[in-house]
Amino acid sequence: MIGCVFLPFVAGYYLSYLFRTINTLISGQLSADLGLDAANLGLLTSVYFLVFAGVQIPIGTLLDRFGPRRVQSVLLMIAGGGAALFGASSGFLELLVARAMIGIGVSAAAMAGLKAIVTWFPRERIALVNGYMMMFGALGAVTATTPAQWLLEYTGWRGLFELLALGSFASALLIFWTVPEAARPRVSQPTARELSAIYTDRRFWRIAPLSASCIGSAWSLQALWAAPWMTNVEGFSRESSITRLFIMALGTSGGALLLGTLADWLRRRGIGSEALFGAVTVLFVGAELALILRLPLPSLLPWIVISIVGAATVLSYATVAEYFPRELTGRANAGLNVLHFGWCFIVQYGTGLILDQWSVQEGHYPIIAYQVAFASAVGVQVLALGWFIFPWLGSLGGRLAKFFLRDPEPNRAPVEASATSAEADVLEPEDEDW
């Protein structure tokens, strides 16, 4: 099962992470070779997330109907074609189409792997195998830093994408030839009632804005805007920035396993994933504010926090799974994925649009431009965090009110003898909680 199921799908998920984050490494060369401004660069990178989000729900239906082996094989061939076109492109429109093809091609990487694990592995091992798949897949973000930089010195960004095209084709063939064919149950189309049960659920819309705004922003920063911030705002050299991106990628890989293990440990002590996710998002907002305000601490620390939050889907998916019956959790997670990648698109493209409101000074945008762009995303996260914790605050307020308004002297002296028995009953109610 490890050799014929787990590793082939991990290879596809690894490529998905690599394609997601590679543009942050080649952004400078793309801008120099093709004359791309910040807005075009943001759109080029973020179109991956836009098409990724748009096909999540249809991909879920295809996986249920045709199985992960066939769907993932076909899609990785599309990703390989997109990578080949990207490496051969000479204009912005060609790059945009190629990047969109890559996004479609790897759109099923995570869900296909999870579907395969559920299909072939014992139920009691699923959670552990899921954690390992996310951890190994996130090594694609590690490869998109220092190792890819070594290749760039010999191949250039065009040659690098030709190699990624070959890797995608090889992964598609590996899955098609190696993974066994599973019996496919007859799957009906999702009914309007089932979808309505998800998208009208208050609990879903309580966590979805926070999950999308935080995780989507973390992906956006790591995939594109972290490198320009490090070089233009913090003044690091390209080599130092790549080293920090490498450490961040390791943080994402280790963060998936860390958060999953911590959630399991807390659950055994009566603390659910929802509470841990809320705490993680508070740390995320604090890390972003530390960068924006240029607080006097090592900037690598908040960047590591940001990278770990990129793996916090482990918590939000687990939380959504607690809200719905098992037969609806796949569609609920797909709906949450749409919001994750949709917000990532908005942040990546929107950051470029905001930066373009300032003139380039000494070869880069001024610091204030980056601060305003990053702060705009943080503002949305703060609102989502308030919406998320509001029910807890209301519950806490009710408990405090009950505590302070209760009788401070429940064992009061008897009423005066002149009071009638009826008056005594009114003055001394039998409710012990009064």
Side-chain angles (χ1 to χ4, degrees), residues 1-10 68 112-133 179-180 182 326:
M1 289 300 97
I2 292 175
C4 295
V5 177
F6 178 75
L7 291 179
F9 282 103
V10 163
L114 296 176
K115 178 75 173 180
I117 290 170
V118 170
T119 302
W120 281 287
F121 280 83
R123 182 176 298 274
E124 64 273 12
R125 309 295 292 179
I126 287 176
L128 179 63
V129 180
N130 283 351
Y132 278 119
M133 190 194 81
V179 177
R326 179 173 298 180

Side-chain angles (χ1 to χ4, degrees), residues 98-351:
R99 181 71 173 169
M101 288 178 61
I102 293 172
I104 294 174
V106 297
S107 60
M111 290 198 296
L114 296 176
K115 178 75 173 180
I117 290 170
V118 170
T119 302
W120 281 287
F121 280 83
R123 182 176 298 274
E124 64 273 12
R125 309 295 292 179
I126 287 176
L128 179 63
V129 180
N130 283 351
Y132 278 119
M133 190 194 81
M134 292 185 179
M135 180 184 70
F136 286 121
L139 292 177
V142 178
T143 308
T145 55
T146 302
Q149 176 62 26
W150 293 338
L151 281 176
L152 278 175
E153 295 176 0
Y154 297 99
T155 64
W157 65 270
R158 295 184 183 277
L160 177 61
F161 269 83
E162 298 303 331
L163 291 176
L164 291 176
L166 293 176
S168 300
F169 293 141
S171 181
L173 295 176
L174 176 65
I175 292 174
F176 188 79
W177 285 337
T178 305
V179 177
E181 185 70 24
R184 301 192 305 274
R186 299 182 61 183
V187 179
S188 62
Q189 291 289 342
T191 65
R193 183 176 181 180
E194 291 173 337
L195 295 176
S196 176
I198 297 170
Y199 298 118
T200 60
D201 192 287
R202 293 183 179 181
R203 297 168 300 174
F204 178 85
W205 288 112
R206 177 173 164 242
I207 192 174
L210 184 62
S211 184
S213 62
C214 290
I215 294 175
S217 294
W219 289 348
S220 173
L221 294 175
Q222 191 169 4
L224 180 59
W225 294 115
W229 174 280
M230 292 176 184
T231 55
N232 299 335
V233 176
E234 300 179 27
F236 292 115
S237 65
R238 176 176 173 81
E239 292 73 19
S240 297
S241 298
I242 292 174
T243 300
R244 284 165 170 75
L245 291 173
F246 178 80
I247 296 173
M248 288 177 61
L250 290 176
T252 302
S253 180
L257 192 60
L258 171 66
L259 293 177
T261 303
L262 185 58
D264 182 68
W265 183 80
L266 291 174
R267 176 176 293 279
R268 292 197 300 267
R269 286 155 179 79
I271 301 176
S273 301
E274 188 179 69
L276 178 59
F277 181 71
V280 169
T281 57
V282 170
L283 289 176
F284 176 67
V285 172
E288 290 178 295
L289 290 176
L291 291 173
I292 295 170
L293 299 177
R294 310 290 307 279
L295 297 182
L297 51 81
S299 63
L300 186 58
L301 293 178
W303 280 119
I304 290 176
V305 173
I306 290 171
S307 69
I308 292 175
V309 172
T313 50
V314 174
L315 302 179
S316 57
Y317 290 157
T319 301
V320 169
E322 296 172 358
Y323 294 162
F324 301 100
R326 179 173 298 180
E327 60 271 17
L328 292 181
T329 54
R331 292 165 191 158
N333 284 336
L336 193 59
N337 243 3
V338 171
L339 299 177
H340 286 156
F341 287 97
W343 180 251
C344 187
F345 164 79
I346 293 173
V347 172
Q348 277 200 344
Y349 186 34
T351 298

